[in-house]
Amino acid sequence: MSPASTGASTVVGADASVPAADSRMVPGGPGYRRMSLALFLAGVATFALLYSTQALLPLISGEFGVTASDASWTVAAATGGLALFVLPMSALSERFGRRTVMTASLAVAVTVGVLVPLAPSLGALIALRALQGAALAGLPASATAYLAEEVSPRALVTAIGLFVAGNSVGGMSGRVVTGWVAQEWGWRIAVAVIGVIAVACAVAFRLLLPAPRHFRAGSLRPRVLARTVRDHLSDPLLRQLYAIGALFMTVFGGVYTVIGYRLTEAPFSLPQGIVGSIFLVYLVGTVSASTAGRLVGRLGRRGALYAGGATTAAGLLLSLAGSLPLVLLGLVLITAGFFAGHAVASSAVSRTATHGRAQASALYQSAYYVGSSAGSTAGAVAFHAGGWAGTVGVGLLAVLGVVSITLLGTRAARTERRLATAA
């Protein structure tokens, strides 16, 4: 099915009326640095806002007198809102443009961010966080679709890796800043500070991002959107990638939702500022995501996914130790494995989809954030029932799912090669 028949945007070079020369951006070429910085800052704002309450859950539990599983809904509501609205927002980006939708999404999200610190109750806080997540839904799928259209295919994994690296910096800075600010002035001021940082990132993003040159507006007709989604869901490889993204994020969401409770309790009993600083390990994710392209070059896509899963599992097991240095090393490995696996899987979606890239990316992002919501909730429930070992058990089951799906894909590829050789 052609892009035109689905109402999806097309890429210049695939159209016979366009010269064969590829004018898309490449590292070192015109606009590439501005584009990379703009999307890096968008990633920073997205993750800083999306997870702004995660490091503060013990304080939120204390103020409202609720359990860890109740407070975890301030995270799950945001990621759930994003998961629910990412597909409709991707459809709007097909019609109105990637840059327009990303700009509007950031504007609404930072506006809601002004109201979040004023929430009078846990219910109001959860509702505002759900709205904020829904607003942010315009960022992830539109950003990867923008990159797939505007960046040369040989540089796509690296470009998406830089965007994911921005996610890791946003997640890290948001948690570190909120940890120290909350220790002195409370969680409400901490969330307000994150909102100010996000506003600065949003303004810089809009000023820096180059205007798209290869976007072609599509249709908003529901029938066209449904046909495009059906095409993607009928592709076995895309289904596998969606499941892998969800499972990786289940691990990550569970671990980082609960880790604050573990470290503030005995035997560690760390203060809130130190707990927030633990999230500096996100810098490891920045490196692993930005180098995912080289990892794929050495091991292949499936080899890189195996490596990401193995690294994550090793980190989960290490985190069971009663020694703080070993727990931190475990978090480093979990973070490195997760961000590498996520960068590989998300870039593979963009390369696999032949049309409706925004919808293909949106389905991945939807699965990814469903995994985050599920991980946040399941991890907190497991922690309440069985302590940190329960949370680790949930994570190991998710990693087993990643490895199993990748193994099925490896076997299918080998069978296909044998059949092709025999023919």
Side-chain angles (χ1 to χ4, degrees):
M1 186 177 294
S2 68
S5 66
T6 65
S9 61
T10 59
V11 176
V12 173
D15 189 331
S17 65
V18 177
D22 193 342
S23 60
R24 287 173 288 186
M25 288 182 279
V26 295
Y32 185 88
R33 183 173 297 178
R34 288 181 58 203
M35 177 275 298
S36 297
L37 180 56
L39 289 178
F40 179 87
L41 292 173
V44 169
T46 299
F47 257 45
L49 290 171
L50 193 63
Y51 293 101
S52 59
T53 63
Q54 195 172 57
L56 306 173
L57 293 181
L59 297 179
I60 293 172
S61 289
E63 176 170 333
F64 294 117
V66 297
T67 64
S69 57
D70 290 333
S72 71
W73 279 103
T74 65
V75 179
T79 54
L82 193 154
L84 185 62
F85 280 87
V86 67
L87 187 59
M89 294 294 278
S90 74
L92 291 178
S93 83
E94 293 283 5
R95 179 66 182 87
F96 298 107
R98 320 301 185 195
R99 190 170 68 161
T100 299
V101 169
M102 287 189 284
T103 301
S105 291
L106 277 176
V108 174
V110 298
T111 301
V112 174
V114 174
L115 301 176
V116 168
L118 306 176
S121 65
L122 181 64
L125 177 59
I126 291 172
L128 287 170
R129 295 283 292 145
L131 179 59
Q132 194 169 48
L136 288 169
L139 262 296
S142 297
T144 51
Y146 176 94
L147 290 169
E149 292 166 353
E150 305 298 330
V151 176
S152 172
R154 69 178 183 272
L156 183 58
V157 174
T158 299
I160 290 180
L162 288 171
F163 174 64
V164 174
N167 295 168
S168 70
V169 169
M172 182 243 349
S173 60
R175 291 162 172 90
V176 172
V177 169
T178 55
W180 285 106
V181 173
Q183 183 171 301
E184 297 296 326
W185 296 289
W187 70 267
R188 295 178 184 274
I189 298 298
V191 172
V193 169
I194 292 302
V196 172
I197 293 173
V199 168
C201 288
V203 171
F205 160 81
R206 186 60 181 84
L207 293 175
L208 287 170
L209 189 69
R213 299 176 60 194
H214 301 86
F215 171 76
R216 296 293 180 270
S219 171
L220 277 177
R221 289 178 297 171
R223 184 176 299 178
V224 173
L225 176 61
R227 184 165 63 242
T228 304
V229 170
R230 185 182 65 239
D231 289 345
H232 294 325
L233 292 178
S234 65
D235 187 314
L237 177 55
L238 286 176
R239 289 201 304 268
Q240 291 171 8
L241 293 170
Y242 297 154
I244 286 171
L247 289 167
F248 264 124
M249 195 54 166
T250 296
V251 181
F252 201 67
V255 165
Y256 277 100
T257 293
V258 173
I259 191 64
Y261 289 96
R262 188 189 185 201
L263 295 179
T264 54
E265 295 177 356
F268 304 114
S269 302
L270 299 179
Q272 187 64 45
I274 298 298
V275 170
S277 296
I278 297 299
F279 292 93
L280 284 168
V281 298
Y282 262 54
L283 291 172
V284 176
T286 305
V287 175
S288 66
S290 60
T291 59
R294 290 200 291 272
L295 185 63
V296 172
R298 292 179 181 178
L299 303 178
R301 185 181 67 245
R302 293 187 181 89
L305 290 173
Y306 285 130
T311 302
T312 303
L316 286 167
L317 294 173
L318 265 180
S319 72
L320 289 169
S323 164
L324 184 59
L326 289 180
V327 172
L328 294 181
L329 179 58
L331 289 176
V332 165
L333 293 178
I334 292 167
T335 304
F338 161 73
F339 275 105
H342 169 43
V344 171
S346 60
S347 62
V349 168
S350 294
R351 290 182 66 95
T352 300
T354 57
H355 64 277
R357 286 188 176 92
Q359 280 74 48
S361 296
L363 288 169
Y364 175 85
Q365 297 292 338
S366 182
Y368 175 80
Y369 286 108
V370 164
S372 178
S373 295
S376 297
T377 303
V381 170
F383 181 76
H384 183 72
W388 182 251
T391 303
V392 168
V394 170
L396 289 173
L397 284 174
V399 172
L400 179 61
V402 169
V403 173
S404 299
I405 292 170
T406 307
L407 182 59
L408 288 174
T410 300
R411 290 179 175 176
R414 288 175 179 171
T415 300
E416 185 177 336
R417 284 196 297 268
R418 283 198 300 268
L419 292 175
T421 302

